[in-house]
Structures are given as structure tokens and as C-alpha cells.
């Protein structure tokens, strides 16, 4: 395989009907590390909206058990990508997500904003730090993928285009970003979680490096001081250099799922989609302890190419 063979395959697919396959190739083969990082930062942005940050802090889940909450979110979203919206696993993942959300008073405006972050933030991340930016096919496929997810969440008024999602995100953040103690607590817990994935001596530096990647409105909403300009420049330059180095690597021949990385740690013995997340009683599925030993779900067959 040559470096751009996956892109050539993507360009032969129809982003209006084959958007899941395009999104799968982009996420697992072209940009596996960038996809995980950018979706993490997409969700992180939402904490700066006080209605979202306050709610997440109030549940206590993101501050008491940030690793499990991170893992559950990643695995539920990944199940849909892996198996497709109409598969048994994909439908169960969407059901789990909807059942958890229904327990709380969350506005459709907040839901649409969260959806917009999943569309817009990864593209902006790749524009800044990727080994190449998203192609037009990938932008359209990503837009259609999250439009379909929003539809299955029961949302109306979902933007039809990437530009529509981008306007929604920018307008919502201008109107709603602001400091809230709950949002700051969730942010601190999340930065602490990300630092915990690395050796202890590196953690303070990695936490500061994460702050260096925040744009000013987001950083100010959390009340973090502005890092030194030289440090911000060095961190961002390092990220761009990484992208240039990745461009020189051969293309991936095997998929790299988020659950294969060292950041997902809660289920070394495997998991079932129906047992992910939180439940009404704060435990696991009825009739047993949370997350009993289960055979791991096997990866889907990789796309041809």
C-alpha cells in the first residue's frame, strides 16, 4: 500500500450513503490517534458551558470515577462506528446513551451543541495538527454520520452541513461559555485523568501542555491562567511536527480502535455494550454486580483496501 491509498478508497465511496465506512477508515486507519485526541477535546469543550459542566459535576461521576466515565463514553461511541447504526450492537449503544441521558434535564440546544463539537473539533484539530487535513469527502461523511446519530437521539433542528454545525458551535460558545465551579471541577478531573496515563514525573508538564492547546475563550471559561507564550508556541509546534513525521510513515494495514490504546483501562476482561455506563441505581445491570467477567467483543473486519 502507498501513503494515500486509503484516501483514494475514501474518494470512491459515497459520503451520502457510505458515510459510516468513510468515517471508519478515517478514524481507524488514517487518523486513529488524532481521532481519539480530538474527540476527547471535543467533549472537554462542552464542560465550559455552565449548564453542561454543572450537570456533569452534580452527578459526581466525572470527578469520582473519571477513568470509567471516559472509557464508557469511548466504548459506547466506538460500538456504533464499529458495527454500524443498524447492527444489534450499534442499536444497543444508542439505547444505552439515550437511557442515560433521559435521567437528566438536558436541553435539545445543549445536545445539538455537543453533537456539533464532534463534527467541528476533529476537523479543526486535523487542520492544525494532522498529517493531512480531512478531504471534502471525509468532512461530508463525518457530518452525515453525526446527523444520523443525532436523529437516533431524537433531536430535531440538526444542521444539514458542516458549515451549519460550525456556525452552531461558534455561536453557542460565544453565547454560553462562562465560568462555573462545577465545570472547573470536571475540567480539573479530566486534565488529571489525561496526565495519569503517563509516568508520574511527567504529569505536571503534561497537564500544562494540555492547557497550552486550549484556545483563549475555552481556557478563560475554566479560569486557567494563560501559559507563557514561548511554552504555548513550543507545545503547538511539537504537535505540528508530529503530524509531519506521521506523514512520512507507511499507511496502516490493520485498524487501530480506541479500545486498543492504553488510555482505556476499565475492562481488561472484556465488556458488553449493554453493561456500559451508569444505571438508575448507580450500579450495573439488574441481577448481578457491575461489569461481570465477559468475553471481549471482537473487532469488526477491516475495510477492504
Amino acid at each position: 500500500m502507498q501513503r494515500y491509498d486509503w484516501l483514494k478508497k475514501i474518494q470512491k465511496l459515497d459520503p451520502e450513503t457510505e458515510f459510516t465506512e468513510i468515517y471508519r477508515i478515517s478514524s481507524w486507519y488514517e487518523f486513529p490517534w488524532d481521532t481519539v485526541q480530538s474527540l476527547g477535546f471535543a467533549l472537554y469543550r462542552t464542560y465550559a458551558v455552565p449548564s453542561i459542566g454543572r450537570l456533569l459535576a452534580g452527578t459526581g461521576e466525572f470527578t469520582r470515577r473519571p477513568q470509567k466515565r471516559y472509557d464508557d463514553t469511548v466504548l459506547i461511541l466506538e460500538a456504533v462506528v464499529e458495527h454500524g447504526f443498524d447492527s444489534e450492537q450499534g442499536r444497543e449503544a444508542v439505547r444505552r446513551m439515550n437511557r442515560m441521558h433521559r435521567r437528566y434535564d438536558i436541553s435539545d440546544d445543549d445536545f445539538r451543541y455537543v453533537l456539533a463539537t464532534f463534527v467541528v473539533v476533529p476537523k479543526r484539530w486535523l487542520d492544525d495538527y494532522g498529517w493531512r487535513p480531512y478531504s471534502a469527502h471525509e468532512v461530508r461523511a463525518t457530518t452525515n454520520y453525526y446527523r444520523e446519530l443525532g436523529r437516533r437521539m431524537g433531536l430535531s433542528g440538526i444542521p444539514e452541513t458542516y458549515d451549519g454545525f460550525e456556525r452552531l458551535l461558534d455561536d453557542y460558545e460565544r453565547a454560553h461559555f462562562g465560568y462555573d465551579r462545577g465545570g472547573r471541577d470536571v475540567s480539573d478531573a479530566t486534565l488529571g485523568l489525561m496526565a495519569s496515563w503517563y509516568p508520574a514525573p511527567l504529569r505536571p508538564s503534561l497537564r500544562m501542555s494540555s492547557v497550552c492547546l486550549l484556545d483563549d475563550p475555552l481556557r478563560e471559561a475554566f479560569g486557567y491562567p494563560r501559559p507563557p507564550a514561548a511554552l504555548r508556541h513550543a507545545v503547538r509546534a511539537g504537535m505540528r511536527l508530529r503530524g509531519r513525521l506521521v506523514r512520512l510513515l507507511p499507511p496502516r494495514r490493520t485498524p487501530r480502535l480506541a479500545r486498543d490504546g492504553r488510555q482505556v483501562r476499565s475492562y481488561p476482561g472484556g465488556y458488553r455494550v449493554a453493561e456500559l455506563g451508569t444505571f438508575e441505581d448507580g450500579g450495573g445491570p439488574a441481577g448481578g454486580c457491575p461489569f461481570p467477567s465477559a468475553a471481549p467483543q471482537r473487532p469488526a473486519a477491516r475495510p477492504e483496501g
Side-chain angles (χ1 to χ4, degrees), residues 115-287:
L115 204 64
T117 67
F118 291 157
V119 175
V120 176
V121 172
K123 179 185 181 302
R124 290 180 173 176
W125 176 281
L126 291 171
D127 286 345
D128 290 339
Y129 306 124
W131 70 268
R132 69 168 176 84
Y134 265 157
S135 67
H137 259 49
E138 288 165 307
V139 172
R140 184 59 187 162
T142 300
T143 300
N144 283 334
Y145 180 88
Y146 283 104
R147 278 178 50 78
E148 179 64 16
L149 180 61
R151 185 182 72 80
R152 291 174 185 250
M153 292 169 63
L155 297 179
S156 60
I158 302 170
E160 296 184 2
T161 64
Y162 173 83
D163 289 344
F165 274 111
E166 191 170 46
R167 284 192 300 272
L168 187 157
L169 181 140
D170 290 338
D171 291 346
Y172 208 71
E173 290 183 350
R174 277 192 294 268
H176 295 282
F177 265 12
Y179 181 82
D180 182 85
R181 183 68 249 179
R184 172 62 184 260
D185 288 345
V186 176
S187 172
D188 287 344
T190 301
L191 293 179
L193 171 66
M194 291 190 292
S196 75
W197 296 329
Y198 299 91
L202 300 177
R203 290 173 187 173
S205 297
L206 287 165
R207 182 186 176 98
M208 178 58 71
S209 296
S210 297
V211 175
C212 287
L213 295 176
L214 307 183
D215 54 85
D216 287 341
L218 181 60
R219 178 185 54 77
E220 291 167 3
F222 289 130
Y224 295 131
R226 183 181 178 90
L231 180 60
R232 293 182 73 202
H233 176 77
V235 170
R236 296 181 183 203
M239 292 291 292
R240 289 190 290 270
L241 176 61
R242 176 200 167 272
R244 296 190 187 101
L245 294 176
V246 171
R247 187 183 304 155
L248 302 177
L249 298 177
R252 293 193 64 86
R253 292 177 177 270
T254 56
R256 177 60 181 249
L257 281 69
R259 68 165 177 262
D260 297 330
R262 59 192 177 89
Q263 295 171 340
V264 175
R265 301 179 173 186
S266 299
Y267 306 105
Y271 63 92
R272 296 187 181 93
V273 172
E275 296 169 346
L276 296 173
T278 56
F279 293 82
E280 292 286 349
D281 60 0

Side-chain angles (χ1 to χ4, degrees), residues 9-109:
K9 178 176 177 59
I10 286 170
Q11 290 171 334
K12 294 177 182 178
L13 299 172
D14 184 353
E16 303 302 326
T17 59
E18 298 173 292
F19 49 83
T20 301
E21 180 72 355
I22 293 172
Y23 189 61
R24 189 180 292 131
I25 294 172
S26 294
S27 300
W28 293 358
Y29 293 86
E30 292 285 74
F31 313 109
W33 186 85
D34 295 282
T35 296
V36 170
Q37 303 307 314
S38 61
L39 288 177
F41 268 93
L43 186 61
Y44 177 82
R45 291 192 79 82
T46 69
Y47 309 157
V49 175
S51 57
I52 297 174
R54 190 180 307 126
L55 172 65
L56 294 175
T59 68
E61 292 290 331
F62 276 76
T63 51
R64 290 197 308 265
R65 300 190 294 174
Q67 182 68 64
K68 186 176 184 302
R69 292 285 64 78
Y70 173 87
D71 294 349
D72 289 346
T73 301
V74 166
L75 296 174
I76 287 172
L77 291 174
E78 187 167 81
V80 185
V81 180
E82 180 175 0
H83 301 287
F85 284 103
D86 293 319
S87 67
E88 178 182 351
Q89 297 95 327
R91 291 195 301 270
E92 182 58 45
V94 175
R95 280 197 295 269
R96 284 297 306 126
M97 183 171 58
N98 287 338
R99 285 169 183 164
M100 287 187 288
H101 289 160
R102 279 199 296 267
R103 296 167 56 191
Y104 305 103
D105 184 17
I106 306 172
S107 72
D108 281 0
D109 287 340

